[in-house]
Amino acid sequence: MKGRKWPWVLLGIMSTTCWGISGIFAKMLFAISPRVSPMIVTQVRMIIGGIAILLVGWLAGKHPLKIWHRWHDAGTIISYGILGLIPVQLFYFMAVKAGNASIATILQFIGPFFIMLYMAVRHHEIPSRLEVISAVAAFIGVVVVATNGRFTQLAITPLVLIYGLISAVGVATNTLIPRSLLKNFSSMEITGWGLVIAGIGLEVVSPTRITFALTPRVLVMFLMIIIIGTVIPFITFTTVLKYISPTVASMLDAFEPLTATVGSVLVLGLHLSVATIIGSLVIIVAVIGLNYQPNEE
């Protein structure tokens, strides 16, 4: 059985790698066309990507419209889109534009600790010793990354830190809000509608205005963000979760910040200090530690 899981593990690695690559594509897009805003990238990614995921789900025999039959489910999916997906995606791209894909992804990666904090406060779940140690380690890692090891000053702008932490909170709301829907609907239906609702919500707040040239390079970057960074990983990772354990899945998540970091260095010429590398690795190991379940079969 263990041998049979390897193809799904490799598919999971591909999925999380795609998410990491999406940040690199976004940074390249912002460099190619500075007038492209994180808002437009998020709106286009959400609406087109969401519709594509719903269409794939429908072709696979799902019933996308069923989620709107009950008021409670409809309210939950709207909350998921507005309070879950908007912060996790919009503020991630804002952090990418203000900083880089590596820092944005590393900061977003600490989202599980906000989930732990919520569960402790709201449901009085006392964190285990490993969770406490992991939380302290992650905090230290964030401080090291933010200060580059020089604790008297920030090495990144306050905006990048704020955007990154808001996206990390978004990871928590993105995970917690739709839990009641998972009993009756597939992840593709939930994610697809969440993306569409979030994109429409952003359109209401800030209607898309194309103030930049739609050159072939710009269009290619948008397509890469939508297809490679959204549709493919969401669909494949949803499938992978049926065949691997949550602990293995959490470890595969580490490939996202690793991909964003290595890609930023190799493709975008980003220079990382020793302190930033150490701090990033501490955060990644801490998150894996938080999700580790030694008694899981």
Side-chain angles (χ1 to χ4, degrees):
M1 286 297 292
K2 290 184 178 179
R4 295 178 186 176
K5 289 185 179 180
W6 273 109
W8 300 110
V9 170
L10 293 175
L11 189 60
I13 291 173
M14 184 200 77
S15 303
T16 53
T17 298
C18 285
W19 277 317
I21 290 174
S22 70
I24 299 172
F25 282 134
K27 189 63 178 180
M28 293 171 67
L29 175 60
F30 296 143
I32 292 170
S33 182
R35 300 193 72 174
V36 175
S37 68
M39 176 68 78
I40 291 177
V41 172
T42 308
Q43 290 168 326
V44 172
R45 180 193 194 197
M46 285 179 162
I47 293 176
I48 298 179
I51 291 173
I53 291 171
L54 288 173
L55 180 59
V56 171
W58 177 68
L59 292 174
K62 307 298 181 183
H63 304 281
L65 296 179
K66 187 179 178 182
I67 204 167
W68 298 103
H69 290 179
R70 295 176 58 220
W71 284 104
H72 179 268
D73 295 335
T76 302
I77 198 66
I78 292 172
S79 298
Y80 168 56
I82 302 300
L83 301 177
L85 288 171
I86 286 180
V88 77
Q89 296 206 20
L90 174 61
F91 286 94
Y92 169 73
F93 284 122
M94 291 173 74
V96 169
K97 184 162 188 175
N100 58 69
S102 174
I103 294 298
T105 310
I106 288 292
L107 291 175
Q108 187 187 66
F109 197 60
I110 66 172
F113 292 97
F114 288 103
I115 298 175
M116 183 189 75
L117 181 62
Y118 169 83
M119 297 303 288
V121 174
R122 180 70 176 81
H123 297 286
H124 307 291
E125 291 188 7
I126 300 175
S128 67
R129 182 181 302 175
L130 179 58
E131 289 174 333
V132 173
I133 293 173
S134 298
V136 173
F139 175 77
I140 293 173
V142 169
V143 171
V144 171
V145 168
T147 63
N148 197 23
R150 300 174 183 175
F151 303 115
T152 57
Q153 60 184 16
L154 285 174
I156 58 177
T157 65
L159 274 181
V160 173
L161 183 60
I162 292 170
Y163 293 155
L165 292 177
I166 291 176
S167 73
V169 173
V171 170
T173 55
N174 175 67
T175 302
L176 294 168
I177 292 175
R179 286 192 303 171
S180 64
L181 296 174
L182 291 170
K183 301 175 184 177
N184 302 311
F185 306 101
S186 70
S187 295
M188 274 197 289
E189 292 169 299
I190 297 169
T191 301
W193 278 118
L195 287 169
V196 171
I197 293 299
I200 293 174
L202 290 179
E203 282 289 345
V204 172
V205 174
S206 178
T208 298
R209 293 183 178 86
I210 306 299
T211 59
F212 51 89
L214 290 172
T215 64
R217 292 180 69 192
V218 169
L219 290 174
V220 167
M221 288 300 106
F222 268 111
L223 284 174
M224 293 300 99
I225 292 170
I226 294 169
I227 298 172
I228 296 179
T230 309
V231 178
I232 291 176
F234 272 117
I235 292 175
T236 54
F237 203 72
T238 297
T239 304
V240 165
L241 290 176
K242 298 177 183 177
Y243 300 96
I244 63 175
S245 68
T247 296
V248 173
S250 71
M251 292 180 180
L252 297 185
D253 283 340
F255 281 89
E256 182 177 350
L258 286 174
T259 302
T261 300
V262 173
S264 295
V265 172
L266 297 179
V267 179
L268 303 176
L270 176 67
H271 173 71
L272 294 176
S273 67
V274 174
T276 301
I277 294 173
I278 293 174
S280 300
L281 290 176
V282 168
I283 293 171
I284 292 171
V285 172
V287 174
I288 292 175
L290 174 67
N291 289 283
Y292 179 61
Q293 299 174 24
N295 295 323
E296 184 184 79
E297 295 183 4

